Every structure is written in C-alpha cells, then in structure tokens.
Amino acid sequence: MVSAASLAALPATSASAAPGDPGEPLEVDVCVVGGGLSGLTAARDLVAAGKSVVVLEGRDRAGGRVYGMTLGDGTVTEGGAEFIGPTQDRIAALAQSLGVQTFPTYNTGKNVYYRSNKRSTYATDGLLGAVPPDWGVVDLELAMTTLSGMAATITPGRPWTAAKAEEWDSQTFHTWSRLNTVSAGARFLFDAFISSTLSVRSKEVSLLYVLNYIASAGNAANAGNIDRLINTAGGGQELRITGGSQEIPLRLAAQLGDRVKLNTRVRRITLDGGPRALVESDALQVSAKRVIVAMSPQQTASIEFRPGLPASRAQLIQRFPMGSVAKFVAVYPTPFWRADGLTGQAVADSGAIDATFDNSPADGSRGLLMGFVNQTNMRRLHGKSDAEIATACLASFVKLFGAQAAAPSHYAYHLWDADPFSGGGPTGIAAPGVLTEFGEALRAPHALIHWAGTETADFWTGYMDGAVRSGERAASEVVALV
Amino acid sequence: MVSAASLAALPATSASAAPGDPGEPLEVDVCVVGGGLSGLTAARDLVAAGKSVVVLEGRDRAGGRVYGMTLGDGTVTEGGAEFIGPTQDRIAALAQSLGVQTFPTYNTGKNVYYRSNKRSTYATDGLLGAVPPDWGVVDLELAMTTLSGMAATITPGRPWTAAKAEEWDSQTFHTWSRLNTVSAGARFLFDAFISSTLSVRSKEVSLLYVLNYIASAGNAANAGNIDRLINTAGGGQELRITGGSQEIPLRLAAQLGDRVKLNTRVRRITLDGGPRALVESDALQVSAKRVIVAMSPQQTASIEFRPGLPASRAQLIQRFPMGSVAKFVAVYPTPFWRADGLTGQAVADSGAIDATFDNSPADGSRGLLMGFVNQTNMRRLHGKSDAEIATACLASFVKLFGAQAAAPSHYAYHLWDADPFSGGGPTGIAAPGVLTEFGEALRAPHALIHWAGTETADFWTGYMDGAVRSGERAASEVVALV
C-alpha cells in the first residue's frame, strides 16, 4: 500500500522526453494503457516504487467504468460502479488513503418484488428474501445450497483448476438452473440474479463463470458466497462513497498529475524483441520497458499488436464480451419511498428497469432513485430519443414506487453499450468453454506486456475492488523488472 | 451474375481522385472494406452495374481465408478454404465465370478411424459410417434423426425465428449431445463433427448455431442436412479447384484491377450524418456513398466507427469469435495411402491432427496429405518452433497412414489463429444466447454501412459459397442506393 503522502513526495515525472516531441517517443519505465481504476492503481504503486510511468487514456476523463454523472441540478451521482462491501479490502484501503469517506447504502424497510404484473414487498436481503409466497422457497433454497457447495470448490480467479471445471464449463447457467429447479419463482430469481449482477441473460454465461463470480466475492481470509455477492447489508452493496465513487479515480489521477494523458487513445503496441515496447497513440508515442494494459479484454481488440498476440490471448479477447447495461437516475425533492417503508431496492420481471437502488446523498436532502437497465432491455433503448428513454425508465419507477416517481426534477443516464471506450458493462463475461480453454490467458504476461483490469482479479472480479487488486498485482509483476 | 466479359468491358475506375492525394479522399460510389471472397464478389457485381468501387484490403494479397500456400517444391495448395459441393451454386457459378475448373476430391477406398489408441477403417461417408463397432450406431442414429428434425424447422440465416429458438439457444451443443446420447462412441463422433466443421469444442457453441449450420447446407431448392454438410461424395467436400481455390479470388482481383488496394488496412469509418462515409486507412482515405464491410464480425473490432455502432452490433462483434484452426500439408512422391486402399480421410481423437484429406493434385502426380489442427490442438502449437510443429503433425500422419508419412519432401502450414487479419478460422461461431439476442445485427445495415462475409450468409455460412452469396446480397442492397 502507498500513502498519499509518499506519492506526493515523488517528482512529477522522470520521463526523459517531453510528450509530443515529434518523432521522439516519451521514454518511461512503464506505460499503462487505460486510466480506469486498475490502471491508475498500478501507476500509483509504480510511482511509489520510484518508477517513471505514463498512463494513456482514450477518454477525456479518468475512471473508466467509475463515472460520475452530473444531473441538471448540479448533483453528481454514480453512472457506473458504485458500491463497496465487506472483504473489499483493497478498494476500501485505497479510498481511505485518498481521504474518501463511505456511508451505508440506504437499506431500511422492505424491498419491492414485481412479477407477472403483481407488486409485493419483502423484508430480507438476498434471493431467498424475494421468493414468491409459495413452495418455490424450498426449491430455490435447495438449488442455492447445491450452487454454494459447487462454488466452494472453486479457487477464485482460477476456476479452470476445479475438479469439475470441464463439466461446469460445458453448460450455460440457464441449463443448470433449469435442471436444478422446478418452480417458476426460483427460475425467475436465478435469472434476476444473473441479470442484476452481470447484465446478461442466464443463457449467455457459463455455469463455471458464475461459480467463479460467487467464489470471488470474498478475500483470502473469507471464502466468497452468494449472500455476500448480492446482499446490501453485509454484502457487496453495503456502502457508498461520499460525493460519489468517481472521487476515487479523480483523486488518484490528480495525484499522478501530468503522468495521466487524457484523449490519448492507444492504437498500436509494437514489440521488436528488444528491451522496450513502443506504444503509439493518437497524441504521442511512448517507449517503455514494460506495458500494463489495464482494459477489459474485449476492448483490447481495438489495439493493433505487432507482432500478433499468442493464439490463446488473441482468441480470448474475441470471447470475453461485456454485459449490456445502462444506469438511469432520477432526482426528487425527497426520498419519498422511505416514507412508504421502502428501501428503494426492487427486482422486476418487466419494464425497462429490472433492479433499483436508493442513490440519495448521505444526508437524504434529496431523493435519487437509480435503476439498472439490463441485457435485452438495454438494447431496446438504443436509437430511442432522450424523451423515450426517460419515459420508459420512469414508467418502471412508477410501477415499483408509485405515482410520485413520475415527475423527477432531473434525470440522467449512461448507456454503457454505446460507450465506445467500454462497449458495455459492468464486466466481461464468459460463455461456456472460454474459461477452461482460454482462462490462463487472462493474466499471463506476454513478453513485455502485462494485463490488469477487474476481469483479471482473483477476488471481486467485476467490481471496483477487483480493479484495484488487478492494478496492484500487475504493478507487483512489473516493479522488479524495470 | 456477371460475366467476365462484361466486367472487362468496364472502365478501369471512375473514381474522381487519385489514391494518395494528400488530404483529398478518393471519391467512389462504394467502398468495400476487405478483399476476401465476399468483398471481391460484391465489388464485381457493383462494377458490373456501373458503379465506381474501391476495395481496401489490409493484407498483401487478395482472398482472405482463401489462401494458397506455396510449398518448397513450388506446389501451391490450399492453406484455407478448399472444397465445393452440391447446392453451392454461387461459388460454382463464380468459378465457372472465371474459367476455373473443378475435380473430384479423392474419395476411393476406406477412411481411417482412430480412437482410444486403436486404428480401424470404415467405408462410408458421414458420421454414421464412422461409428464404432458396437451398439453406439443405434445411439448415434437416433440422436442424428432427432437433430435433423430440429434443423428442418430452422430458416437458414434466421435461426432466431424458429419456434424453439429460445430453448435451443439456451444450451451448448455439448449439453444437448450428452442428454441425447449414452454411448461414448456417439459422443465422440458428435464432438468430432463440431471440431472438424467449426474448429471449436462442442462446449463452445450454441445448439441453435449448430442447427442453423446444418440447415444452411443447402440452397433455396434443397433444404440443408447433416450429410450434405459433412460428406465428401454428395457433400460439401465433393470437389476441389484445379490449381487451388486461391485461383478464384486472385482472378477476381485481377479483373478488378487497380480498384483493389492491398496493404491498405482500414482504421476508421466516420459517418457525419451526410450522404457520404469517410473510410480511413493507413494508405489512403476514401469518401463513399455506401460502405460494404466484408469481414468476419469479430475482425471489425479493429476498426473505429465514428460515431459508435448501435448497441446490438457493437455487442455482436464481441460475441462472434473465430474457431481455432491450422492446416498442415505434407508432400510425398506419390499418394501412397491410395495403394493401401485408403481415401486419405481420417478422424482421430488424439494427436495434433484430428481430420485429414488427400490434397494431391488432380493428376495424382504427387501425394499431398492435408491435416486439420483444430481447437485445443491448434493453440498447443503456438510458440512452438517450425520443427516442433512438423514433428507433431507428421506423428499424426504416421499414426493414421503408416511410416511412409514420416518423411515428406516438403511441408507447409498456416496457423489461422496467429493470422492477424483473420484471428482464427474457418468461421465465426456463436455461443448460447448470441443468435437470439444479437443475430439480427449480423446483416442489418447501419446508416451507410452494409455487412458482408460468410458469417452473414443464409446458405453455406462458413463456406466459400456463403462468402459469395453474402457479397452478392450486399451488392444488391447497395446497387439501387448509389
């Protein structure tokens, strides 16, 4: 871990050429490609170790999938990654080192359950809390017990080493969930679990991938489990960041100063067999002893690697697609659902939004309701006008929380699928056959190139904590080599 | 259809600016991105219709996945797409119009079956011919009958419209084949069917995708079926091209003349809402009324689209990975296996090569044996030396065809996964959930951009015939609009 003080004490940059020198590449120890949380974390650790570093980021902002949307009233709220929870030690430590505070996600009252055009409420966190009022609860509990037992055999981040990896990676989660449940209620909740955590449909994802995702919801001392993955209290959605999660990458980028180059999309990485890699972007060229590519695997398809990547890596990046997700946030004078005894959390089987959270600021001075537009629903929004998108999303809010939701003072949304620097969200997923055939290539360094990004994390892959872990791991790989 | 004569009569190019004019884009009616068989076919039809066309190809040759490897003795043989069969009307007509001849694939004698370290031979084409000498034949025949019945309900190229599309696209072919067989022999042959046609493992591919692949092995008058897909006599492997299949794209490119620009990799396609698209490559810029992108979907991830593609298309290209395949060809003084009563065709469950063909020239003056290195085996070759690759592949040939195979006079191979312009082969495949969620985006034009490539074909998708059909279809979409 690096303290802010030690970082601030380092020289601004030890690079030996000014960026933009025509024909003369900037020479650094390490070039980080991607200024999201994983890339910034890697850069921070390397700078603290006395290395010269430059971070090349294609967007006009740092943070990647951690993004603060500004609403019409000036409020900034999370348009991307948002929550922190127990066992997410690395993002928590990073936040603390940056002076960023957390507060509990609002979680008092009941959640809304909307299915088959019927609205009800339930009191408990997690899938089991949401079971329909029938014998589906037994069905779901039996299947969840089976699933938990399977996940317990997974080494997080290395699911292909499990004894039954081949069997579990030969089927979709849909196949498994249908063979292991009989009730419509349990099946709906398994699909909702996949949609709300991965923003894909259960047919798109390997059973092995889901087991690894469950196993990764922990740390070295605490094995991952479903409840920690999906719960608010005691789970991955327990805490929020005061001022918004974007404070973390923005403060990190500010500390890194002019080492972070925005609007600098990398186009080509050339390895000539010598001791340095050449990284070419629209704006500048960098010559580095090592390169850390801190991007989701599929986004690296936009970079030309010379010579081509090893076959396993080249094919992996064709096989790690992003989920489909948008976040929609509406602002109201008060968090009116609280007065109705509701948490603001909901799960729904119809409408544009299938999961919601209370996104209000810590002091509750205004009410912000956030909805996830997942998988098929996300794609239905594309090409729609702003008014059509708002109408569809607000209709969901009204259905779930009542007529008061119809007229927010402001709203904002971010369509991650249409974001050319992300191509979807929240994370890369794997269909059957991918982890067992190509999984090793997720993290295996290639010559002078190392890989970061939340998809490469052992714990909390897909989350901010996984991004931080991956950046720390990539920096530790590189630090002794440059 | 366009005759060679009518094409030759057209002016060389009616473009209004010379390529390379600094800052001044070449103005054409249609810019074709990709000089493989689909792009060249589209260009040919458009030129015949009087349109000005330029074809931008990143490689230093035309043909894409149709590629002639030159052996040490000067022989040219297929390193990529090779065969033509009944109902493949469009590639046959194209070959004929170019004066290219065909001859029957050598198919006299028995095929070799190698499984569990035991070599045997069998007499019939197709999966059923290769069943082990046990009751697995009944098992396989029952499952094949079921599979054929399912495929018969598919509209080729639009599998997502099938009544059971959702069910069939929620599972892998592995899941289906295990639930519908009990014998190890039948299961092996189903896996071999997927490996030898798609170069992936049965766990990687959606049942719906396989059903569509079967249904596409026909034409408008003859419904596709498994036998036509996999057989030599009467099937997709029935005929070869005299002089090698590369003759087709090379002659087509020669007719198109300086309209085909090699070493011209496209980097960006910009649509500004006006009547023209700007296509930027390393070498020149093109301004076109319409653009036909004639590439496998996943390869288009290397192009920057401004503004970004619609969400469904953007996500599709993350979800249509190539199979993993290499072709290895060895040259012998004679086709010695023929004297042993063998066709040169084999299927094997171990070794680098799992399927073979007799690649000798029509006159049998020398013996050429060709082996497919598929899926996991392909990836094992990466990083290996030339000698290691030859040793591994020749060991397969010896195991299947005897000691005479050990010492060819020459050999050559092409590792398609390591080919940066293909990223694998023979074709793009779809995991579960992809065709039902994203399939419409395979062909749906986006503003001024149209899509070609064998992956977009209705019939014989994945084959040369499909590539030609896709080019003809894309040209027909565009011709009335420019």
Side-chain angles (χ1 to χ4, degrees):
Chain A
M1 268 304 298
V2 182
S3 76
S6 70
L7 185 67
L10 286 163
T13 178
S14 54
S16 64
D21 253 19
E24 198 61 43
L26 179 70
E27 292 204 354
V28 292
D29 292 327
V30 183
C31 179
V32 177
V33 180
L37 203 43
S38 62
L40 296 171
T41 300
R44 174 190 159 112
D45 281 7
L46 290 165
V47 168
K51 308 302 180 186
S52 61
V53 178
V54 66
V55 179
L56 306 184
E57 168 56 47
R59 305 178 199 259
D60 60 3
R61 61 170 179 83
R65 287 169 265 173
V66 186
Y67 168 52
M69 296 192 293
T70 303
L71 289 144
D73 65 349
T75 312
V76 177
T77 193
E78 288 87 353
E82 176 163 353
F83 302 105
I84 299 186
T87 74
Q88 297 188 354
D89 314 314
R90 305 316 304 150
I91 182 70
L94 177 61
Q96 190 174 30
S97 78
L98 295 165
V100 171
Q101 308 295 318
T102 62
F103 66 99
T105 304
Y106 189 80
N107 196 38
T108 304
K110 292 189 169 185
N111 297 343
V112 173
Y113 177 87
Y114 193 97
R115 184 160 159 259
S116 304
N117 299 312
K118 187 167 165 293
R119 179 184 180 280
S120 55
T121 59
Y122 64 99
T124 328
D125 252 349
L127 286 186
L128 277 174
V131 287
D134 60 24
W135 61 281
V137 64
V138 181
D139 190 30
L140 185 69
E141 187 152 15
L142 287 171
M144 293 259 290
T145 302
T146 305
L147 196 66
S148 296
M150 294 156 70
T153 72
I154 302 278
T155 302
R158 300 186 64 80
W160 47 86
T161 62
K164 293 201 168 177
E166 200 56 44
E167 177 187 334
W168 297 339
D169 203 33
S170 293
Q171 60 190 292
T172 63
F173 188 76
H174 185 278
T175 291
W176 183 87
S177 68
R178 267 50 184 179
L179 286 174
N180 288 274
T181 58
V182 287
S183 66
R187 290 172 174 188
F188 161 65
L189 285 166
F190 269 133
D191 286 353
F193 159 53
I194 299 299
S195 180
S196 61
T197 53
L198 298 170
S199 303
V200 298
R201 297 183 64 175
S202 63
K203 63 186 173 182
E204 294 181 71
V205 67
S206 165
L207 171 60
L208 185 67
Y209 180 92
V210 175
L211 293 171
N212 182 67
Y213 215 71
I214 294 167
S216 89
N219 60 16
N222 301 277
N225 61 57
I226 300 176
D227 283 343
R228 196 179 303 113
L229 184 64
I230 64 178
N231 280 0
T232 302
Q237 287 63 242
E238 185 170 75
L239 299 173
R240 294 177 55 216
I241 310 287
T242 307
S245 58
Q246 79 287 346
E247 285 296 320
I248 298 174
L250 294 183
R251 292 186 189 195
L252 207 42
Q255 287 192 352
L256 290 164
D258 68 359
R259 295 180 190 89
V260 180
K261 313 295 184 192
L262 302 179
N263 300 303
T264 305
R265 184 171 176 160
V266 168
R267 302 291 179 175
R268 183 183 294 147
I269 300 175
T270 303
L271 304 172
D272 63 3
R276 285 185 163 272
L278 180 67
V279 182
E280 294 171 270
S281 74
D282 290 346
L284 81 162
Q285 299 192 355
V286 177
S287 170
K289 294 179 193 162
R290 295 277 160 164
V291 178
I292 293 176
V293 177
M295 298 165 63
S296 66
Q298 59 78 31
Q299 278 291 307
T300 66
S302 67
I303 299 175
E304 182 187 2
F305 292 89
R306 286 189 183 173
L309 293 170
S312 289
R313 176 79 198 180
Q315 289 236 326
L316 171 75
I317 67 181
Q318 301 176 19
R319 289 168 161 83
F320 227 81
M322 303 299 280
S324 281
V325 69
K327 258 183 159 181
F328 178 90
V329 179
V331 188
Y332 305 92
T334 64
F336 60 86
W337 50 90
R338 297 184 183 181
D340 297 334
L342 298 174
T343 59
Q345 293 162 49
V347 59
D349 73 344
S350 59
I353 286 168
D354 68 1
T356 68
F357 277 91
D358 180 327
N359 252 41
S360 307
D363 63 5
S365 56
R366 277 156 306 171
L368 272 69
L369 203 53
M370 181 272 280
F372 286 104
V373 185
N374 285 316
Q375 29 96 5
T376 316
N377 291 330
M378 161 67 231
R379 295 186 292 276
R380 287 195 185 116
L381 293 191
H382 196 87
K384 294 284 191 294
S385 70
D386 175 78
E388 288 169 323
I389 291 171
T391 299
C393 291
L394 291 173
S396 278
F397 283 169
V398 167
K399 199 173 69 175
L400 299 169
F401 297 104
Q404 279 181 277
S409 64
H410 302 88
Y411 64 83
Y413 52 85
H414 191 68
L415 311 180
W416 286 96
D417 293 28
D419 181 327
F421 292 99
S422 290
T427 191
I429 61 109
V434 175
L435 289 172
T436 44
E437 294 294 317
F438 307 91
E440 292 274 8
L442 265 172
R443 272 185 300 271
H446 164 57
L448 306 180
I449 303 175
H450 298 248
W451 312 101
T454 193
E455 287 82 1
T456 71
D458 47 3
F459 291 106
W460 289 105
T461 181
Y463 288 72
M464 290 193 287
D465 187 62
V468 173
R469 288 175 192 269
S470 79
E472 292 177 342
R473 191 255 315 140
S476 73
E477 287 173 6
V478 162
V479 73
L481 302 170
V482 297
Chain B
M1 267 303 298
V2 181
S3 77
S6 70
L7 186 64
L10 285 164
T13 179
S14 54
S16 62
D21 253 19
E24 199 60 44
L26 179 70
E27 291 205 353
V28 293
D29 292 328
V30 182
C31 179
V32 177
V33 180
L37 203 42
S38 62
L40 296 170
T41 301
R44 175 188 158 113
D45 281 7
L46 290 165
V47 169
K51 309 301 180 185
S52 61
V53 178
V54 66
V55 180
L56 306 184
E57 168 57 46
R59 304 179 199 260
D60 59 3
R61 62 171 178 82
R65 286 170 265 174
V66 186
Y67 168 52
M69 295 192 293
T70 304
L71 290 143
D73 66 348
T75 312
V76 177
T77 193
E78 289 86 353
E82 175 163 352
F83 302 105
I84 299 186
T87 73
Q88 297 188 355
D89 313 314
R90 303 317 304 150
I91 182 71
L94 177 62
Q96 189 173 32
S97 78
L98 295 165
V100 171
Q101 307 297 317
T102 61
F103 66 100
T105 304
Y106 189 80
N107 197 38
T108 304
K110 292 189 169 185
N111 297 343
V112 173
Y113 177 85
Y114 193 98
R115 184 162 159 258
S116 304
N117 299 311
K118 188 168 166 291
R119 180 183 179 279
S120 56
T121 60
Y122 63 99
T124 327
D125 252 349
L127 286 186
L128 277 174
V131 287
D134 62 23
W135 61 280
V137 64
V138 181
D139 190 28
L140 186 68
E141 187 152 16
L142 287 172
M144 293 258 290
T145 303
T146 305
L147 196 66
S148 296
M150 292 156 70
T153 71
I154 301 279
T155 302
R158 301 185 64 79
W160 49 86
T161 62
K164 292 199 170 181
E166 201 54 44
E167 177 187 335
W168 296 340
D169 203 33
S170 293
Q171 60 190 292
T172 64
F173 188 75
H174 184 279
T175 291
W176 183 88
S177 67
R178 268 49 185 179
L179 286 174
N180 288 275
T181 58
V182 287
S183 66
R187 290 172 176 189
F188 163 65
L189 285 166
F190 269 133
D191 287 352
F193 160 54
I194 299 300
S195 179
S196 61
T197 52
L198 298 170
S199 303
V200 297
R201 297 184 64 177
S202 63
K203 63 185 173 183
E204 294 181 71
V205 66
S206 165
L207 170 61
L208 185 68
Y209 180 91
V210 175
L211 293 171
N212 181 68
Y213 215 71
I214 295 168
S216 88
N219 60 17
N222 301 276
N225 61 57
I226 300 177
D227 284 343
R228 196 180 301 114
L229 183 65
I230 65 177
N231 281 358
T232 302
Q237 288 64 240
E238 185 170 76
L239 299 173
R240 296 178 53 216
I241 309 288
T242 306
S245 57
Q246 79 285 348
E247 285 295 322
I248 298 173
L250 294 183
R251 292 186 189 195
L252 206 42
Q255 287 191 353
L256 290 163
D258 70 358
R259 294 181 190 87
V260 181
K261 314 294 184 193
L262 302 179
N263 301 303
T264 305
R265 184 172 176 159
V266 169
R267 303 290 180 174
R268 184 183 293 146
I269 300 175
T270 303
L271 305 172
D272 64 2
R276 285 185 163 273
L278 179 67
V279 182
E280 294 171 90
S281 74
D282 290 347
L284 80 162
Q285 298 193 354
V286 177
S287 169
K289 294 180 193 163
R290 294 278 161 164
V291 178
I292 294 176
V293 177
M295 298 165 65
S296 66
Q298 59 78 31
Q299 279 290 307
T300 65
S302 67
I303 299 174
E304 182 187 2
F305 292 88
R306 286 189 183 174
L309 294 169
S312 290
R313 176 79 197 179
Q315 289 237 324
L316 171 75
I317 67 181
Q318 300 175 19
R319 288 168 161 83
F320 226 80
M322 303 299 281
S324 280
V325 70
K327 256 183 159 182
F328 178 90
V329 178
V331 189
Y332 305 93
T334 63
F336 60 86
W337 51 91
R338 296 184 184 180
D340 297 332
L342 298 175
T343 59
Q345 292 162 50
V347 59
D349 73 344
S350 59
I353 286 169
D354 69 0
T356 68
F357 277 91
D358 180 328
N359 250 41
S360 308
D363 63 6
S365 57
R366 277 158 304 171
L368 272 70
L369 203 54
M370 180 272 280
F372 286 105
V373 186
N374 284 317
Q375 29 96 8
T376 316
N377 291 330
M378 160 68 230
R379 295 186 292 275
R380 287 195 185 116
L381 294 191
H382 196 87
K384 294 284 191 292
S385 70
D386 175 77
E388 287 171 324
I389 291 171
T391 299
C393 292
L394 291 173
S396 278
F397 283 171
V398 168
K399 199 173 68 176
L400 299 169
F401 296 105
Q404 279 181 277
S409 63
H410 303 88
Y411 63 83
Y413 52 86
H414 192 68
L415 312 180
W416 286 95
D417 292 28
D419 182 327
F421 292 100
S422 288
T427 191
I429 60 110
V434 174
L435 289 171
T436 44
E437 293 294 317
F438 306 91
E440 292 275 9
L442 266 172
R443 273 185 300 272
H446 164 57
L448 306 180
I449 303 174
H450 299 248
W451 312 100
T454 192
E455 287 83 359
T456 70
D458 47 3
F459 291 106
W460 290 104
T461 181
Y463 288 73
M464 291 192 287
D465 188 63
V468 173
R469 289 176 192 270
S470 79
E472 292 177 344
R473 190 255 315 141
S476 75
E477 285 173 7
V478 163
V479 73
L481 302 170
V482 295

